[in-house]
Amino acid sequence: MNELKRTGFYEAHVAAGGKIVPFAGFELPVQYSSIVAEHTAVRTTAGIFDVSHMGEIFLQGPDALANVQRLVTQDLTKVKPNRAVYAGMLYADGSFVDDVLVYCLAEDAFLLVVNAANLAKDHKWIEGNVFGDCVCENRSDSISQLAIQGPASRDIVQKVTDVDLTDMKYYRFRQGNVLGIDAIVSRTGYTGELGFELYFDRSHSMTVWNALMKAGQPLGLQPAGLGCRDTLRLEAGMALYGNDIDDEHTPLEAGLAWIVKMDKGDFNGRSILEKQLTDGLTRHLVGFELVDKGIPRHGYLVYAGDHEIGVVTSGTMSITLKKPIGLAYVQHGFEAVGTEIDVEIRNRRMKATVVSLPFYSNTR
Amino acid sequence: MSFPKGYMFTKDHEWVSLDGDIASVGITSHAADQLGDVVFVELPEVGTSYEHGDVFAVVESVKAAVDCYMPLSGEIIEVNEELEAGYEIMNQDPHGAGWIVRVRATDVSELNELMSAEAYTEYLSTLE
């Protein structure tokens, strides 16, 4: 086990009473006050998350666009500077190396934001794939990232940045400054709520945290930990690598056909996706609500009558909706909204219904 | 952290409060704090009998599900139906309104195997 890393906000977490746990090689707060309180703050006012564990890999050069086109499922020729897209980075077999955010910084410069647990693997994968005149650089250790999420997030972040957030749309960003510090200010997040993410040099971590807390406290801003990050993203129907997507499932199976642009030309994994589109899928990631009482959790089996037809990949008691929800891979034929399935919880079959995703969204 | 005098405690962090041969059973404030926000409890059925050490309920927080072990043998005579109206009572008042079941004990001398409040406090200090 390697030594755990600390982000530039570690002192702030400890001072705020954060319960520190090991996560993806970092010491990060799972909660401060309580998961329910922090989750509710994000849905009603705002929460601030240290997401500096996320990896930042830059691709730059005349062939950067061609490289990104090969690496991910989205069509970056259609993405202008100051826009970001959610994409799959796939192996040749169509399964996920990782799911990534791709920022188009300029016509010849892209930022890929990747999962912390996958950073080393992703960096190696990208370096092994890179071709032509394109430089790949992993700057994860020197970049801090904060997510400010919730209905009050726009007013809070506007107090510390010169970037005009008034008309910034979802998945748009600007390179501007925060407190006079160079920063990327991005209207993105992992909560299904109005929210912003800030990227800046690690040396300014505490300055930015303290200024945001001061600006945000009158508006109900609370520090928020990894615990509610997971419950929020699940309500938003957003996949978590290692749970819902992995190197055994394709984006089509994961219900992410919208991030796959088949008409953009060749890309890693395309031929398998083409085959799946022709032959049809054998399994589908679906959202479900438990009808019976209980809480579905990762790894629980899914049945239709006596037949095992799938497995739960994520589950929780939805704090916002106050009902048990989950995601599961089910065999083809059981994916339609309204389909009745059973989830086995402690040797008992509990009734559940397939529902449409997301469970909750308020990003507009 | 303080624990009510007169209650008895298990190493698995259940508490028992005995009135005649009727025992109220719940989880300790230590267990509730470790779990975090309780969002569901799978309750047993009234009339079911358990030996001490049997799993009689499952308490689930956002992050985890933990089994509750019966501290003394007996029959469930009442379950706390109020919990469903707001499981947060398990975190707010775990030794009082957050009780889980009431049991008619078959052998109250089993209580002697459990820890007093002082002994439980001492026990917790060894867990750090």
Side-chain angles (χ1 to χ4, degrees), chain A residues 16-334:
Chain A
K19 184 176 171 189
I20 308 293
V21 298
F23 181 81
F26 287 82
E27 288 186 288
L28 285 166
V30 64
Q31 64 174 64
Y32 302 83
S33 53
S34 92
I35 292 173
V36 170
E38 292 159 29
H39 181 111
T40 306
V42 171
R43 290 276 180 253
T44 56
T45 55
I48 179 170
F49 298 83
D50 174 7
V51 282
S52 304
H53 56 296
M54 301 293 285
E56 290 86 11
I57 296 174
F58 290 78
L59 289 171
Q60 195 151 13
D63 293 323
L65 175 61
N67 273 275
V68 179
Q69 286 290 87
R70 168 60 62 95
L71 283 168
V72 307
T73 55
Q74 287 273 16
D75 185 357
L76 274 299
T77 63
K78 304 267 172 64
V79 178
K80 299 187 179 89
N82 297 325
R83 294 191 187 197
V85 288
Y86 174 67
M89 182 162 71
L90 307 185
Y91 289 115
D93 69 358
S95 73
F96 284 89
V97 180
D98 203 354
D99 60 334
V100 299
L101 270 190
V102 184
Y103 286 80
C104 180
L105 302 171
E107 280 167 12
D108 61 351
F110 300 86
L111 161 61
L112 273 61
V113 179
V114 308
N115 284 299
N118 292 338
L119 174 60
K121 175 185 82 174
D122 290 356
H123 187 215
K124 198 173 162 191
W125 173 255
I126 294 167
E127 292 238 289
N129 271 265
V130 83
F131 63 89
D133 193 350
C134 175
V135 178
C136 166
E137 193 186 354
N138 172 16
R139 292 190 215 155
S140 305
D141 286 344
S142 63
I143 295 177
S144 280
Q145 186 189 350
L146 289 175
I148 299 90
Q149 305 277 303
S153 60
R154 194 196 311 263
D155 293 338
I156 294 165
V157 177
Q158 191 65 80
K159 290 186 189 182
V160 299
T161 183
D162 67 349
V163 174
D164 184 2
L165 306 179
T166 318
D167 298 316
M168 188 184 278
K169 293 179 180 150
Y170 199 36
Y171 274 75
R172 304 292 171 89
F173 72 94
R174 288 281 169 191
Q175 298 175 77
N177 76 65
V178 169
L179 306 166
I181 299 155
D182 287 343
I184 290 173
V185 180
S186 163
R187 206 188 131 193
T188 46
Y190 198 43
T191 60
E193 205 65 55
L194 173 69
F196 296 84
E197 292 179 300
L198 312 178
Y199 301 82
F200 50 89
D201 190 87
R202 181 191 165 106
S203 60
H204 303 292
S205 298
M206 288 303 288
T207 309
V208 177
W209 177 279
N210 290 333
L212 279 164
M213 285 306 294
K214 194 175 170 193
Q217 248 148 7
L219 297 170
L221 180 68
Q222 282 192 32
L226 295 168
C228 74
R229 184 167 156 82
D230 189 47
T231 53
L232 289 158
R233 70 90 194 165
L234 184 50
E235 286 183 348
M238 293 173 166
L240 170 62
Y241 192 94
N243 273 40
D244 316 303
I245 54 175
D246 53 29
D247 58 7
E248 292 179 3
H249 295 88
T250 72
L252 301 179
E253 292 169 332
L256 294 170
W258 64 274
I259 70 170
V260 177
K261 308 299 180 192
M262 294 301 287
D263 57 2
K264 75 165 183 166
D266 198 22
F267 60 91
N268 291 339
R270 186 182 187 284
S271 60
I272 299 294
L273 302 185
E274 180 99 68
K275 191 168 179 335
Q276 287 191 336
L277 286 171
T278 308
D279 297 353
L281 300 171
T282 60
R283 55 193 178 178
H284 309 259
L285 189 69
V286 297
F288 67 87
E289 286 178 14
L290 210 63
V291 177
D292 286 333
K293 288 174 187 172
I295 300 181
R297 295 189 187 269
H298 179 79
Y300 288 4
L301 297 177
V302 179
Y303 289 84
D306 293 333
H307 300 284
E308 184 186 320
I309 57 153
V311 62
V312 174
T313 56
S314 289
T316 195
M317 179 65 79
S318 166
I319 294 166
T320 308
L321 307 171
K322 305 200 187 308
K323 52 190 174 189
I325 60 170
L327 299 174
Y329 277 105
V330 296
Q331 279 175 19
H332 180 67
F334 296 93

